[in-house]
């Protein structure tokens, strides 16, 4: 019989937590045929990335996943055989107690945030016994190397991307009132947190010697764009020109449609965790804005990914990528944006080639869902053998 899985997701902020939990749940059902329940405490955030989600349903089935509203207090529920606590979200106390009286107890995993920092490989898979209950939680770390939990990616993604680029890109652009890109035009997607570097980037694009079309999914930076354009009340669907720059505000799309935007653009500005990974799978150049953290911990994360990402690039191109990422993340020793953009433009061809090579290298890290299922199956087997 297939094992049952419960995934718990608390939406702290933004869309990354639920975005990752949803991608994982879908993958476990589609590629491993597992019975998955996904508990989410903010169905409104969920609906933004997956509009088929009903915000008022306590339980609904979507893409083969049973989606449950996570309310407090938590109703009495029989735990699944495998419990995934996404990003240390803290399981409901009553559920935890119910886990502890099961025999054998569920396999309990804490799915951690993704980082390219070297310590991740050492911590991946480590156990942590519960201080009171007879339960052990295992830390599962996604990562960029084979010794980590790997990266979320579904089978067939690259084939779908190729088919899209060959046969569907034209229609994709048409939905936004855009034609096929001109030979010298740069199409850029921009998904970002508020960023003091943004006005100078927009200035650089407006002053570019070739057309730059910037596509911005509706979100946190729209007020900054409105201020730069001097247009109060900037709305979805609007397009504005400044010099070489054409700025389009797009509706926030579902996760799969966002992938298509990443595939279609020449350069993607991404943020947080999930969009960053998707941009890497898109095999296009990217500029990553790490989720801002206290004590600038996100700079370590950005530098760690940069160190890996720029391997294999010649020194001028590696420097152009680093300057751009570092400036975009507000690191103090970074150059000014006009110079960063000029350097990036000068190295664009090399950076584009590298993005495709990097995508091929990412595969070596392994598919997170496969690795997680193997890890869990191994624990389930050990558990069976250890029952007296
Ligand atoms: O929304 P985010 O900023 O999420 C962040 C990070 O995950 C961060 O690590 C976490 O600690 C913090 O939240 C609380 O960025 P991220 O991770 O890229 O998630 C965005 C999700 O939204 C991703 O699944 C892609 C999806 N998305 C759409 O579905 N449609 C869209 O139009 C866009 C722009 C994004």
């Amino acid at each position: 019989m297939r094992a049952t899985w419960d995934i718990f997701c608390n939406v702290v902020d933004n869309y990354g937590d639920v975005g990752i939990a949803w991608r994982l749940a879908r993958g476990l059902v589609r590629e491993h045929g597992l019975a998955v329940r996904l508990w989410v405490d903010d169905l409104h955030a969920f609906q933004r990335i997956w509009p088929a989600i009903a915000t008022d349903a306590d339980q609904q089935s979507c893409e083969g996943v049973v989606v449950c509203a996570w309310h407090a207090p938590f109703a009495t529920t029989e735990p699944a055989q495998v419990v995934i606590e996404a990003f240390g979200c803290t399981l409901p106390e009553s559920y935890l107690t119910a886990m502890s009286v099961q025999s054998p107890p569920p396999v309990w995993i804490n799915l951690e945030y993704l980082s390219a920092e070297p310590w991740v490989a050492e911590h991946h898979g480590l156990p942590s016994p519960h201080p009171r209950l007879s339960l052990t939680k295992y830390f599962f770390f996604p990562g960029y190397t084979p010794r980590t939990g790997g990266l979320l990616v579904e089978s067939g993604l690259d084939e779908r991307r190729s088919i899209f680029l060959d046969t569907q890109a034209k229609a994709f652009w048409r939905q936004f009132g855009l034609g096929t890109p001109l030979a010298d035009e740069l199409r850029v997607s921009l998904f970002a947190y508020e960023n003091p570097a943004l006005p100078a980037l927009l200035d650089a694009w407006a002053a570019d010697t070739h057309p730059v079309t910037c596509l911005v999914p509706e979100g946190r930076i729209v007020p900054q764009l409105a201020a730069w354009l001097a247009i109060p009340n900037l709305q979805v669907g609007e397009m504005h020109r400044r010099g070489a720059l054409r700025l389009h505000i797009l509706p926030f799309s579902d996760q799969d449609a966002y992938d298509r935007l990443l595939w279609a653009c020449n350069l993607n500005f991404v943020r947080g965790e999930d969009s960053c990974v998707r941009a890497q799978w898109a095999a296009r150049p990217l500029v990553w804005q790490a989720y801002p953290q206290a004590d600038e911990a996100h700079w370590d994360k950005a530098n760690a990914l940069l160190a890996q990402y720029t391997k294999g690039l010649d020194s001028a191109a590696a420097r152009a990528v680093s300057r751009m990422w570092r400036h975009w993340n507000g690191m103090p020793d970074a150059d000014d944006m006009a110079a960063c953009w000029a350097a990036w433009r000068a190295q664009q061809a090399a950076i584009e080639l590298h993005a495709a090579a990097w995508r091929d290298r990412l595969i070596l890290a392994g598919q997170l869902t496969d690795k997680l299922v193997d890890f869990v199956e191994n624990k389930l087997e050990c558990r069976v053998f250890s029952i007296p």
Side-chain angles (χ1 to χ4, degrees), residues 161 164-165 169 173 187 259-268 276 278-287 309 325 344 351-359:
R161 186 174 65 90
F164 168 82
L165 291 174
W173 288 124
R187 293 224 168 142
D259 267 340
R260 294 192 277 278
L261 179 67
L262 297 173
W263 299 341
C265 285
N266 308 100
L267 167 63
N268 295 301
C276 178
R278 300 311 283 185
Q280 293 173 62
W281 290 124
R284 299 286 197 200
L286 71 149
V287 178
Y309 185 78
W325 285 36
W344 191 93
I351 297 169
E352 280 170 355
L353 278 178
H354 178 72
W358 172 254
R359 182 226 161 265

Side-chain angles (χ1 to χ4, degrees), residues 23-96:
R23 215 179 273 295
L24 172 65
R26 285 203 281 161
L28 291 170
V29 168
R30 194 175 43 218
E31 302 198 13
H32 295 273
L34 295 163
V36 179
R37 269 190 310 204
L38 172 60
W39 299 85
V40 178
D41 68 348
D42 181 350
L43 294 178
H44 292 276
F46 196 170
Q47 194 189 50
R48 288 280 281 166
I49 61 152
W50 207 259
I53 292 296
T55 54
D56 55 356
D58 274 346
Q59 191 169 312
Q60 59 196 299
S61 176
C62 190
E63 304 275 310
V65 176
V66 178
V67 174
C68 303
W70 177 0
H71 297 298
F74 195 74
T76 307
T77 303
E78 187 181 342
Q81 288 156 297
V82 182
V83 179
I84 309 289
E85 183 179 345
F87 316 117
C89 64
T90 310
L91 299 179
E93 200 52 44
S94 60
Y95 186 90
L96 204 58

Side-chain angles (χ1 to χ4, degrees), residues 7-10 15-28 36 38-40 46 49 65 86-87 111 152 255 274:
I7 303 174
F8 283 85
C9 173
N10 159 228
Y15 307 108
D17 306 293
V18 68
I20 291 159
W22 177 231
R23 215 179 273 295
L24 172 65
R26 285 203 281 161
L28 291 170
V36 179
L38 172 60
W39 299 85
V40 178
F46 196 170
I49 61 152
V65 176
F87 316 117
L111 175 67
L152 270 174
Q255 269 187 338
D274 194 48

Side-chain angles (χ1 to χ4, degrees), residues 12-17 19-20 23 48-49 113 191 193 217 251-255 258 271-276 291:
V12 177
D13 199 4
N14 307 310
Y15 307 108
D17 306 293
I20 291 159
R23 215 179 273 295
R48 288 280 281 166
I49 61 152
Y113 286 109
F191 179 45
Y193 308 114
F252 202 87
S253 61
D254 69 56
Q255 269 187 338
Y258 178 59
R271 72 182 206 195
E273 181 168 330
D274 194 48
S275 57
C276 178
Y291 180 70

